[in-house]
Amino acid sequence: GRVGCCFKSASYLDSIVAAPAAPAEREGAVARFRESLTTRTLADALTFASEHAQYTPRPFRVGDVLAAAGERPTAAIVLSLGKLIRLSRAEAEQLHAAAGGCAQAEDRAALDMFALTGWEGVHFPEGLALEWR
């Protein structure tokens, strides 16, 4: 009687047991993404972000380049992704090289400023524009 009262069904238990696998799968995807940074494009970075994270427009600053929430969305996504997966400055510069050439002028200004300031110049005062799903 009492022992089974907390368990709703076998599928419920399966969903609880399966839940922790998502971060491990994400870690594998992040590792694969990082291993091939030199061949990544802006489209690859945006696809990876959309598959693994939720975008929320947030204000940010890179050096003296300011963006209100929703402005420079590509730069916000690329920079948030870099912070989420903890890219080193060198790794982020590889991604910048791939992404910068394809970004619109308004996004490119923020990405180019990153090349000058590194992570020290990147600030998201209301939190990153991406959160893991």
Side-chain angles (χ1 to χ4, degrees), residues 72-88:
R72 306 176 196 269
T74 300
I77 291 169
V78 170
L79 293 168
S80 291
L81 178 61
K83 283 190 165 266
L84 268 181
I85 64 176
R86 295 185 172 104
L87 291 180
S88 68

Side-chain angles (χ1 to χ4, degrees), residues 37-110:
L37 278 174
T38 58
T39 61
R40 293 290 176 183
T41 65
L42 176 60
D44 294 333
L46 296 176
T47 297
F48 182 86
S50 71
E51 290 173 352
H52 299 282
Q54 176 67 41
Y55 171 70
T56 302
R58 301 261 169 82
F60 69 97
R61 177 174 57 86
V62 184
D64 58 2
V65 176
L66 303 173
E71 291 181 350
R72 306 176 196 269
T74 300
I77 291 169
V78 170
L79 293 168
S80 291
L81 178 61
K83 283 190 165 266
L84 268 181
I85 64 176
R86 295 185 172 104
L87 291 180
S88 68
R89 182 172 181 161
E91 289 171 322
E93 287 174 355
Q94 289 177 337
L95 186 57
H96 166 264
C102 302
Q104 295 179 0
E106 67 177 17
D107 291 298
R108 188 162 175 81

Side-chain angles (χ1 to χ4, degrees), residues 21-33:
E25 290 173 18
R26 184 176 57 230
E27 288 175 23
V30 167
R32 288 187 299 280
F33 184 83

Side-chain angles (χ1 to χ4, degrees), residues 1-7:
R2 284 197 90 196
V3 175
C5 72
C6 297
F7 301 111

